[in-house]
Amino acid sequence: MACKWITQETFDAVVQENISEFDLNPEEALNEAIQQFESQGVDLTNIIKVVKIQSEENEDATGHTILQTLESLRKNVESSSVSSVSELLIQFGDQCKQGMAHRYLAGQKSAYSVVLKAWQLLEADREGLLNALYAMSSLTDGQPDLIEGVGLKLLVCVMQNYSSDAEVTLLAIRLTRHVCLKHEQNRQDLVKEGVLRHLTGAISNHGADPDVVREACSALKIMTFDDDIRVPFGHAHDHAKMIVLENAGLKLLIEAAKDFADNTGVLSELCATISRLCVRNEFCQDVVDLGGLNFMVALLADCIDNQELVKQVLSALRAIAGNDDVKDAIVNSGGTYLIVLAMTRHICNAQVCDQGCAALSMLALRKPENCKVIMEGGGALAALQAMKVHPKDSGVQKQACMVIRNLVSRTQDFSQPILEMGAESLILQARSTHKDCDDVAKAALRDLGCKIELRELWTGQKGSLAH
């Protein structure tokens, strides 16, 4: 795996050297430079792999196109040329979208401060503001560290001042999403500024706009992530509680879902967000009380052929099944049959199998009556079939082992039928192939009554050492 890094300037210099010193044409010089650095283990992910523009007449015209645009933008911001700044922001945003390498280079050359000044210059001009939000959103995609306090406060102000404007709201939420993904501090700072109220408010104000609803759901979902490896403990759980308790998030999302019966993309995002919010026992029950369970079961039945939507509905069912009363409600509503049907229909999709097994595992946990329904409905067979089809997917293997374990832990009568389906060899294979399956596979084998080879990790003695 590549672990060395170089600057864009170093890469460009080598390309130019290949042209001037070795008389290679530009394409040959570029390919030679790429091969040279990759053979040395250099990561070129953030390098623009094109030949830099050279201009003998005009030094300012020398460089990569995005830097030329950035320089023009800087000059026009300094001279307060509003119309030119607005046009250049669109051009800059488009160039940022060409790839991470372009955004990275621009970020290294102080693009954030330039775009921020342009944003402040155009704040009162709606069209200019739209272009500024577009440029900032494009720049910060994958680079959430670029934004700081002033930009975050400005973002929340825009969401407040333009709450009735769907187009501005959409771009502001997209920027929120970009600066919060994998950045815990930005999330916490924006929450303190009241962003959750504006995100849920966007769904209320623009409930008929699928783009706004989808973007707002995605941003709310990101607020519940714990994905910043630099932070030992995030506020994901607290943010989920705030969305539900202070902003009526679950009710809002379930009501919104009913308005998009024919839009599977929006429904997928709504279900995914609901699953992230069910962090407490009472929240799971709230979903049922608000009609969310009946809606999701009907959705699963009606859209059984849509893999992405099926995966998200299964994820949501798994989440709300954390409540024991809700487990029974899912089973009584026919949810078990539909989960097994979804797994069977999409047996080649590892993610559907993973979520399906996880949902069945939750329904079976501590519920012998539910285990009976799952067995009769072919749940054990579906889980084992998923193990056969996806032997290299540790998630599927682990969740399928959990299903088997939960089915037999309190109902030993199911052990023999499951063993006759070939469970033992599949679980042994999962245990030997995937280290993270070892504990759950061992538990499943034990509860099935199989002989388990126990590995003693440490006896307390090594050489002359004794505990």
Side-chain angles (χ1 to χ4, degrees), residues 229-289:
I229 60 173
R230 300 168 295 186
V231 180
F233 302 105
H235 288 188
H237 191 271
D238 294 333
H239 293 168
K241 286 195 297 182
M242 292 172 71
I243 293 168
V244 175
L245 296 176
E246 299 175 18
N247 298 279
L250 283 173
K251 182 178 181 181
L252 185 71
L253 295 175
I254 291 167
E255 289 301 316
K258 295 172 184 176
D259 295 329
F260 290 98
D262 298 325
N263 192 322
T264 55
V266 175
L267 290 172
S268 292
E269 202 61 59
L270 283 160
C271 288
T273 308
I274 289 170
S275 70
R276 296 292 309 182
L277 297 180
C278 294
V279 296
R280 296 174 78 172
N281 213 40
E282 60 267 33
F283 295 172
C284 300
Q285 187 62 51
D286 286 344
V287 173
V288 178
D289 296 341

Side-chain angles (χ1 to χ4, degrees), residues 6-48:
I6 58 168
T7 63
Q8 185 70 50
E9 288 80 3
T10 299
F11 181 82
D12 293 338
V14 170
V15 173
Q16 292 303 323
E17 183 181 301
N18 288 342
I19 293 173
S20 59
E21 298 293 326
F22 302 105
D23 204 25
L24 298 178
N25 66 44
E27 185 177 352
E28 291 173 336
L30 179 65
N31 291 332
E32 177 64 28
I34 293 171
Q35 291 175 14
Q36 179 183 341
F37 283 118
E38 287 182 344
S39 68
Q40 296 169 7
V42 175
D43 189 335
L44 298 178
T45 304
N46 291 329
I47 296 298
I48 298 176

Side-chain angles (χ1 to χ4, degrees), residues 60-81:
D60 289 341
T62 300
H64 293 281
T65 307
I66 193 167
L67 296 185
Q68 293 176 356
T69 303
L70 179 61
E71 183 58 30
S72 297
L73 182 60
R74 179 183 283 109
K75 289 178 179 177
N76 281 277
V77 167
E78 288 173 355
S79 63
S80 299
S81 179

Side-chain angles (χ1 to χ4, degrees), residues 382-456:
L384 293 172
Q385 186 62 28
M387 294 181 80
K388 286 182 185 177
V389 175
H390 303 284
K392 295 180 180 179
D393 192 295
S394 62
V396 172
Q397 298 296 314
K398 192 172 183 178
Q399 294 298 340
C401 287
M402 285 289 290
V403 174
I404 302 305
R405 193 256 167 139
N406 289 349
L407 285 173
V408 300
S409 63
R410 298 194 182 199
T411 315
Q412 291 299 314
D413 291 347
F414 296 149
S415 295
Q416 191 56 37
I418 289 174
L419 286 170
E420 289 172 0
M421 295 176 194
E424 184 175 6
S425 61
L426 286 168
I427 296 171
L428 285 170
Q429 182 183 344
R431 189 183 177 196
S432 63
T433 306
H434 305 283
K435 286 184 178 180
D436 59 342
C437 288
D438 188 61
D439 288 343
V440 66
K442 196 160 56 178
L445 290 168
R446 180 197 65 215
D447 290 350
L448 281 167
C450 302
K451 185 178 179 181
I452 310 168
E453 178 192 343
L454 295 173
R455 297 179 207 157
E456 198 166 28

